[in-house]
Coordinates of all heavy atoms in Angstrom, one line a residue:
V1 N 1.6 -72.5 -35.1 CA 0.7 -71.4 -35.2 C -0.7 -71.8 -34.8 O -1.4 -71.1 -34.1 CB 0.7 -70.9 -36.7 CG1 -0.5 -69.9 -36.9 CG2 2.0 -70.3 -37.0
A2 N -1.1 -73.0 -35.2 CA -2.4 -73.5 -34.7 C -2.5 -73.7 -33.2 O -3.5 -73.3 -32.7 CB -2.7 -74.9 -35.4
D3 N -1.4 -74.1 -32.6 CA -1.5 -74.2 -31.2 C -1.6 -72.9 -30.5 O -2.3 -72.7 -29.5 CB -0.1 -74.9 -30.7 CG -0.1 -76.4 -31.0 OD1 -1.2 -77.0 -31.4 OD2 1.0 -77.0 -31.0
V4 N -0.9 -71.9 -31.0 CA -1.0 -70.5 -30.4 C -2.4 -70.0 -30.6 O -3.0 -69.4 -29.7 CB 0.0 -69.6 -31.1 CG1 -0.2 -68.2 -30.7 CG2 1.4 -70.0 -30.7
S5 N -3.0 -70.2 -31.8 CA -4.3 -69.8 -32.0 C -5.3 -70.4 -31.1 O -6.2 -69.7 -30.5 CB -4.7 -70.1 -33.5 OG -6.1 -70.0 -33.7
V6 N -5.2 -71.7 -30.8 CA -6.1 -72.4 -29.9 C -5.9 -71.8 -28.5 O -6.9 -71.5 -27.8 CB -5.9 -73.9 -30.0 CG1 -6.6 -74.6 -28.8 CG2 -6.3 -74.4 -31.3
A7 N -4.7 -71.6 -28.1 CA -4.4 -71.0 -26.8 C -5.0 -69.6 -26.6 O -5.6 -69.3 -25.6 CB -2.9 -71.0 -26.5
T8 N -4.9 -68.8 -27.6 CA -5.4 -67.5 -27.6 C -7.0 -67.5 -27.5 O -7.5 -66.8 -26.7 CB -5.0 -66.7 -28.9 OG1 -3.6 -66.7 -29.0 CG2 -5.5 -65.2 -28.8
E9 N -7.6 -68.3 -28.3 CA -9.1 -68.4 -28.2 C -9.5 -68.9 -26.8 O -10.5 -68.3 -26.3 CB -9.6 -69.4 -29.3 CG -9.5 -68.9 -30.7 CD -9.9 -69.9 -31.7 OE1 -10.7 -70.8 -31.3 OE2 -9.6 -69.8 -32.9
A10 N -8.8 -69.8 -26.3 CA -9.2 -70.3 -24.9 C -9.1 -69.2 -23.9 O -9.9 -69.1 -23.1 CB -8.3 -71.5 -24.6
S11 N -8.0 -68.4 -24.0 CA -7.8 -67.4 -23.0 C -8.9 -66.3 -23.1 O -9.3 -65.7 -22.1 CB -6.4 -66.8 -23.0 OG -6.2 -66.1 -24.3
V12 N -9.3 -66.0 -24.3 CA -10.3 -65.0 -24.5 C -11.7 -65.5 -24.0 O -12.4 -64.7 -23.3 CB -10.5 -64.6 -26.0 CG1 -11.8 -63.8 -26.3 CG2 -9.3 -63.9 -26.5
T13 N -12.0 -66.7 -24.2 CA -13.3 -67.2 -23.7 C -13.3 -67.3 -22.2 O -14.4 -67.4 -21.6 CB -13.7 -68.6 -24.3 OG1 -12.7 -69.5 -24.0 CG2 -13.9 -68.5 -25.8
E14 N -12.2 -67.3 -21.5 CA -12.1 -67.4 -20.1 C -12.1 -66.0 -19.4 O -12.0 -65.9 -18.2 CB -10.9 -68.2 -19.7 CG -11.0 -69.6 -20.1 CD -9.7 -70.4 -19.9 OE1 -8.8 -69.8 -19.2 OE2 -9.6 -71.5 -20.3
L15 N -12.3 -64.9 -20.2 CA -12.3 -63.6 -19.6 C -13.5 -63.5 -18.6 O -14.6 -64.0 -18.9 CB -12.5 -62.5 -20.6 CG -11.3 -62.2 -21.5 CD1 -11.7 -61.2 -22.6 CD2 -10.1 -61.7 -20.7
S16 N -13.3 -62.8 -17.5 CA -14.4 -62.6 -16.6 C -15.3 -61.5 -17.2 O -14.9 -60.7 -18.1 CB -13.8 -62.1 -15.2 OG -13.3 -60.8 -15.4
P17 N -16.5 -61.4 -16.7 CA -17.4 -60.3 -17.3 C -16.8 -58.9 -17.1 O -16.8 -58.1 -18.0 CB -18.6 -60.4 -16.4 CG -18.7 -61.9 -16.0 CD -17.2 -62.3 -15.8
G18 N -16.1 -58.7 -16.0 CA -15.4 -57.4 -15.8 C -14.3 -57.1 -16.8 O -14.2 -56.0 -17.3
D19 N -13.5 -58.2 -17.1 CA -12.4 -58.0 -18.1 C -13.0 -57.8 -19.5 O -12.5 -57.0 -20.2 CB -11.5 -59.3 -18.1 CG -10.7 -59.3 -16.8 OD1 -10.5 -58.3 -16.1 OD2 -10.2 -60.4 -16.5
R20 N -14.1 -58.5 -19.8 CA -14.8 -58.3 -21.1 C -15.2 -56.8 -21.2 O -15.0 -56.2 -22.2 CB -16.0 -59.2 -21.3 CG -15.7 -60.6 -21.7 CD -17.1 -61.2 -22.2 NE -18.2 -60.9 -21.5 CZ -18.7 -61.6 -20.4 NH1 -18.1 -62.6 -20.0 NH2 -19.8 -61.2 -19.9
R21 N -15.9 -56.3 -20.2 CA -16.4 -55.0 -20.2 C -15.3 -54.0 -20.3 O -15.4 -52.9 -21.0 CB -17.3 -54.7 -19.0 CG -18.6 -55.6 -19.0 CD -19.4 -55.4 -17.8 NE -20.5 -56.4 -17.8 CZ -20.8 -57.2 -16.8 NH1 -20.2 -57.1 -15.7 NH2 -21.7 -58.1 -17.0
K22 N -14.2 -54.2 -19.6 CA -13.1 -53.3 -19.7 C -12.5 -53.2 -21.1 O -12.2 -52.2 -21.7 CB -11.9 -53.7 -18.8 CG -10.7 -52.8 -18.9 CD -9.9 -52.8 -17.7 CE -8.6 -51.9 -17.8 NZ -8.6 -50.9 -18.7
R23 N -12.4 -54.4 -21.8 CA -12.0 -54.4 -23.2 C -12.9 -53.6 -24.1 O -12.5 -52.9 -24.9 CB -11.9 -55.9 -23.7 CG -10.7 -56.6 -23.4 CD -10.5 -57.8 -24.3 NE -9.4 -58.6 -23.8 CZ -8.9 -59.6 -24.5 NH1 -9.4 -59.9 -25.6 NH2 -7.8 -60.2 -24.0
I24 N -14.2 -53.8 -23.9 CA -15.2 -53.1 -24.7 C -15.1 -51.6 -24.4 O -15.0 -50.7 -25.3 CB -16.6 -53.5 -24.3 CG1 -16.8 -55.0 -24.8 CG2 -17.7 -52.6 -25.0 CD1 -18.1 -55.6 -24.4
A25 N -15.0 -51.2 -23.1 CA -14.9 -49.8 -22.7 C -13.7 -49.1 -23.2 O -13.7 -47.9 -23.5 CB -15.0 -49.7 -21.2
D26 N -12.6 -49.9 -23.3 CA -11.3 -49.3 -23.9 C -11.4 -49.2 -25.4 O -10.8 -48.3 -26.0 CB -10.1 -50.2 -23.4 CG -9.8 -50.1 -21.9 OD1 -10.3 -49.2 -21.3 OD2 -9.1 -51.0 -21.5
R27 N -12.0 -50.2 -26.0 CA -11.9 -50.3 -27.4 C -12.9 -49.3 -28.1 O -12.5 -48.7 -29.1 CB -12.3 -51.7 -27.9 CG -12.1 -51.9 -29.4 CD -12.0 -53.3 -29.8 NE -11.9 -53.4 -31.2 CZ -12.4 -54.4 -31.9 NH1 -12.9 -55.4 -31.3 NH2 -12.3 -54.3 -33.2
V28 N -14.1 -49.1 -27.6 CA -15.1 -48.2 -28.3 C -14.5 -46.8 -28.5 O -14.5 -46.2 -29.6 CB -16.4 -48.2 -27.6 CG1 -17.3 -47.2 -28.1 CG2 -17.0 -49.6 -27.7
P29 N -14.0 -46.1 -27.4 CA -13.5 -44.7 -27.6 C -12.3 -44.7 -28.5 O -12.0 -43.8 -29.2 CB -13.2 -44.2 -26.2 CG -13.6 -45.3 -25.3 CD -14.0 -46.5 -26.0
A30 N -11.4 -45.7 -28.4 CA -10.2 -45.8 -29.1 C -10.5 -45.9 -30.7 O -9.8 -45.3 -31.5 CB -9.3 -46.9 -28.7
E31 N -11.5 -46.6 -31.0 CA -11.8 -46.8 -32.4 C -12.9 -46.0 -32.9 O -13.2 -45.9 -34.2 CB -12.0 -48.3 -32.7 CG -10.8 -49.2 -32.4 CD -10.9 -50.6 -32.8 OE1 -11.7 -50.9 -33.7 OE2 -10.3 -51.4 -32.1

């Protein structure tokens, strides 16, 4: 579980600015 958590955190921090903005743009109207 710890290994999966570390891998997930690493992949999130490697998001490009465009991918980050897409996540934000998708999440705000949904929530």
Side-chain angles (χ1 to χ4, degrees):
V1 170
D3 290 343
V4 170
S5 164
V6 169
T8 302
E9 287 177 23
S11 63
V12 168
T13 58
E14 294 173 7
L15 287 175
S16 71
D19 289 339
R20 276 196 324 268
R21 292 177 192 134
K22 177 158 179 22
R23 277 198 186 191
I24 293 169
D26 290 344
R27 188 164 174 207
V28 170
E31 296 185 27

